[in-house]
Amino acid sequence: MTTSLQDGQSAAGRAAARDSPLAAQVCGAAQGRGDARDLAPAPWLHARALLPPPDATRGCAADRRKKKDLDVLEMPSIPNPFPELCCSPFTSVLSAGLFPKANSRKKQVIKVYSEDETSRALEVPSDITARDVCQLLILKNHYIDDHSWTLFEHLPHVALERTIEDHELVIEVLSNWGMEEENKLYFRKNYAKYEFFKNPMYFFPEHMVSFATETNGEISPTQILQMFLSSSTYPEIHGFLHSKEQGKKSWKKIYFLLRRSGLYFSTKGTSKEPRHLQFFSEFGNSDIYVSLAGKKKHGAPTNYGFCFKPNKAGGPRDLKMLCAEEEQSRMCWVTAIRLLKRSISENSLVAMDFSGQKTRVIENPTEALSVAVEEGLAWRKKGCLRLGSHGSPTASSQSSATNMAIHRSQPWFHHKISREEAQRLIIQQGLVDGVFLVRDSQSNPKTFVLSMSHGQKIKHFQIIPVEDDGEMFHTLDDGHTRFTDLIQLVEFYQLNKGVLPCKLKHYCARIAL
């Protein structure tokens, strides 16, 4: 019985050898080992392992070589690093295209904080931008994207903060932090983020700006945008600033000039002659920060401070501290420097049009500028939509007591915060006309206060409760216009100016992540 089986197998082996010499070699290697069961880990060899060798003259050296080859074949989970050198069709090497490509983008965990100090950890790739982080948080928290969400870098040990630009790499920002520093990333709204595209003269008063070209009459907003975004016609910003002397506690009032090559100060009054100008700072290796506690932390003469800080970690002595007389002046300097840094970093970029079926490069600078202006205006229009899109509840059928407390669930209401805290929140989220919040009054517990921004100043209006026929109402104009609850009052002044200097547009909210 055994002889018949072997004869049959030999005949099959000879037939296979005639058809394929490679099959004959594999069969010879299997017979040289003497035991077909040793090939069990390779299931595709079960049938051929029982075939005898067609050529009995093979030497022991060839058997050992084939045995080593088959030992390699018993480990199919290890790919052959040199598949092009293998001629056998029975190798276990898979095509490289069948394996998923390894992700070369390393990931890192970052922590982002909100206004109420709640935080959220995110695993992000190393090349993620600040805009991408904002979009990720908007999606994860189901917020409405009105293009005002911003990522901030907060340095508590020196009481400084800055807006991280949309194009900046977040991991690169974190790499500049010192190990012992307790710096944080904050995610909140900044309504002044794109306001420059809508109203540039709001940021640059005439007495602080000198244009490179002669202008006849009033300059249009488009011309101002073109000058600030151009690499050759950048305007000159000038004015007095308080500067902290290096290594000293004293401050000195000096005349400064901002040009494309850097920030300079005059050693002789307001002279702009080259021999009287001294270099103060450049922008390639430093960022501009806003001081949060200039008087208390740095002994500044006013609370409108800002400074230049090197990109790499450095101590307070490396800061170049400056201080303006008012908020409008500080906003002008900070905005101009941010635009200048952006224009320098984007010299190699081109404008693209993605509106058609095919993308194209916008070669005409005027057309590229108009597209940027239209996008900026469109973003602002979206942000100025009615805040009732969240679905503000109406309380017409509810009791008077319920009407008096229903406002507590609204994002624009801040329970028991001080006047100073309200001003800080509005400044943080942008001194744009119409930014507002409602809070409890500290002087009168039964009343509320509407705090809002207008003309780069913060104004406070008392909301007084009045009683009529046993029902309570809220009013801002001594009872001429009455509202059953604060929600109706806010929604009315979103649509009507009334006694306010402007309509309510953007609410200050403390979001939770």
Side-chain angles (χ1 to χ4, degrees):
M1 185 69 180
T2 304
T3 303
S4 301
L5 179 60
Q6 291 179 351
D7 292 342
Q9 292 173 348
S10 299
R14 286 192 295 272
R18 286 195 302 268
D19 296 336
S20 174
L22 291 175
Q25 295 177 13
V26 174
C27 294
Q31 183 66 20
R33 297 184 61 173
D35 188 0
R37 290 175 297 179
D38 293 339
L39 294 178
W44 52 272
L45 289 176
H46 280 178
R48 294 182 174 88
L50 299 175
L51 298 178
D55 188 3
T57 62
R58 292 188 177 275
C60 296
D63 292 342
R64 285 194 296 269
R65 184 170 61 254
K66 295 300 179 179
K67 180 180 179 181
K68 183 181 295 186
D69 292 341
L70 290 175
D71 287 338
V72 175
L73 294 178
E74 291 179 359
M75 297 182 293
S77 60
I78 302 178
N80 189 337
F82 306 104
E84 66 277 5
L85 301 181
C86 182
C87 60
S88 174
F90 304 115
T91 56
S92 61
V93 180
L94 298 179
S95 174
L98 298 179
F99 290 99
K101 294 183 178 180
N103 189 358
S104 60
R105 302 170 67 193
K106 295 182 179 179
K107 291 191 175 182
Q108 186 172 334
V109 177
I110 64 173
K111 181 178 284 189
V112 183
Y113 290 83
S114 63
E115 285 283 328
D116 61 353
E117 294 300 325
T118 59
S119 63
R120 182 160 190 166
L122 300 173
E123 186 181 21
V124 298
S126 58
D127 58 348
I128 192 169
T129 63
R131 178 62 181 168
D132 294 335
V133 172
C134 291
Q135 289 293 324
L136 186 61
L137 290 170
I138 290 171
L139 292 175
K140 285 183 175 292
N141 295 279
H142 307 288
Y143 296 141
I144 294 179
D145 185 10
D146 57 359
H147 300 281
S148 63
W149 294 103
T150 311
L151 203 62
F152 290 86
E153 180 186 7
H154 181 72
L155 312 180
H157 64 291
V158 287
L160 298 176
E161 188 175 81
R162 77 175 181 99
T163 298
I164 302 179
E165 306 298 342
D166 286 348
H167 66 281
E168 289 190 67
L169 300 180
V170 177
I171 302 302
E172 190 174 301
V173 174
L174 300 182
S175 66
N176 296 329
W177 292 358
M179 295 295 294
E180 70 284 354
E181 298 175 354
E182 297 181 355
N183 302 336
K184 295 180 180 179
L185 294 176
Y186 276 93
F187 174 68
R188 65 169 181 263
K189 284 179 174 288
N190 179 21
Y191 295 108
K193 186 176 183 179
Y194 296 116
E195 191 70 14
F196 167 76
F197 292 96
K198 179 180 179 181
N199 189 10
M201 288 308 298
Y202 180 83
F203 291 83
F204 301 105
E206 294 182 4
H207 67 278
M208 293 184 63
V209 182
S210 296
F211 296 99
T213 57
E214 294 294 331
T215 57
N216 298 323
E218 186 177 355
I219 307 175
S220 66
T222 304
Q223 290 177 319
I224 297 175
L225 282 173
Q226 187 173 11
M227 291 178 181
F228 273 100
L229 298 178
S230 173
S231 60
S232 59
T233 61
Y234 196 85
E236 179 185 88
I237 309 297
H238 53 83
F240 282 97
L241 291 171
H242 297 275
S243 175
K244 186 176 183 181
E245 299 186 55
Q246 207 72 9
K248 299 181 181 180
K249 295 183 178 180
S250 58
W251 292 72
K252 188 176 181 180
K253 193 172 183 179
I254 309 175
Y255 188 76
F256 278 85
L257 296 97
L258 175 65
R259 294 176 176 175
R260 186 169 180 80
S261 56
L263 184 64
Y264 301 84
F265 66 91
S266 177
T267 58
K268 186 178 181 181
T270 60
S271 174
K272 298 182 181 180
E273 296 184 19
R275 60 193 180 98
H276 295 148
L277 295 182
Q278 188 169 339
F279 183 77
F280 182 79
S281 178
E282 52 88 26
F283 317 120
N285 299 317
S286 60
D287 292 311
I288 185 167
Y289 291 77
V290 172
S291 178
L292 303 179
K295 280 188 174 182
K296 183 178 180 181
K297 193 76 176 180
H298 306 285
T302 69
N303 283 322
Y304 310 110
F306 60 98
C307 77
F308 293 94
K309 178 183 177 298
N311 291 337
K312 300 300 179 182
R317 291 187 177 182
D318 297 326
L319 304 178
K320 295 185 177 181
M321 304 293 302
L322 296 169
C323 183
E325 291 287 350
E326 56 184 2
E327 178 60 31
Q328 186 182 30
S329 176
R330 178 172 70 170
M331 184 181 296
C332 176
W333 287 103
V334 173
T335 305
I337 294 170
R338 287 178 56 198
L339 288 171
L340 182 58
K341 283 177 62 70
R342 184 66 182 265
S343 64
I344 293 175
S345 64
E346 291 189 344
N347 282 341
S348 59
L349 301 183
V350 295
M352 299 291 295
D353 178 18
F354 299 95
S355 59
Q357 295 181 351
K358 295 183 179 180
T359 59
R360 66 183 181 91
V361 177
I362 303 178
E363 299 179 352
N364 188 347
T366 305
E367 182 185 0
L369 179 64
S370 64
V371 171
V373 174
E374 290 176 2
E375 289 182 353
L377 294 176
W379 288 340
R380 301 317 304 158
K381 288 179 181 178
K382 291 180 181 179
C384 294
L385 294 176
R386 286 192 60 193
L387 303 183
S389 60
H390 293 283
S392 300
T394 59
S396 59
S397 61
Q398 298 181 5
S399 63
S400 177
T402 304
N403 291 342
M404 299 298 290
I406 196 173
H407 57 268
R408 296 183 182 274
S409 62
Q410 298 302 306
W412 41 256
F413 182 76
H414 297 259
H415 184 56
K416 292 184 178 180
I417 65 171
S418 63
R419 183 188 185 98
E420 292 75 18
E421 181 71 7
Q423 294 182 163
R424 186 188 68 83
L425 283 175
I426 295 177
I427 291 174
Q428 279 187 347
Q429 300 194 14
L431 282 179
V432 178
D433 288 355
V435 176
F436 75 97
L437 60 85
V438 180
R439 58 186 175 87
D440 290 316
S441 174
Q442 289 185 310
S443 58
N444 190 346
K446 294 183 179 181
T447 63
F448 302 97
V449 177
L450 172 66
S451 301
M452 65 177 298
S453 170
H454 179 259
Q456 294 187 340
K457 294 182 180 180
I458 300 175
K459 302 179 180 181
H460 307 272
F461 301 90
Q462 195 168 42
I463 303 174
I464 303 174
V466 295
E467 185 175 358
D468 187 10
D469 293 336
E471 294 187 13
M472 297 296 298
F473 297 92
H474 298 282
T475 181
L476 275 174
D477 52 8
D478 296 330
H480 295 287
T481 310
R482 303 178 182 182
F483 306 93
T484 58
D485 54 56
L486 292 181
I487 295 177
Q488 290 185 358
L489 183 145
V490 168
E491 291 184 343
F492 174 83
Y493 287 106
Q494 284 177 329
L495 302 175
N496 306 276
K497 175 181 174 181
V499 295
L500 300 178
C502 67
K503 297 178 184 179
L504 303 180
K505 296 180 180 179
H506 316 292
Y507 62 84
C508 286
R510 282 180 168 175
I511 55 100
L513 295 177

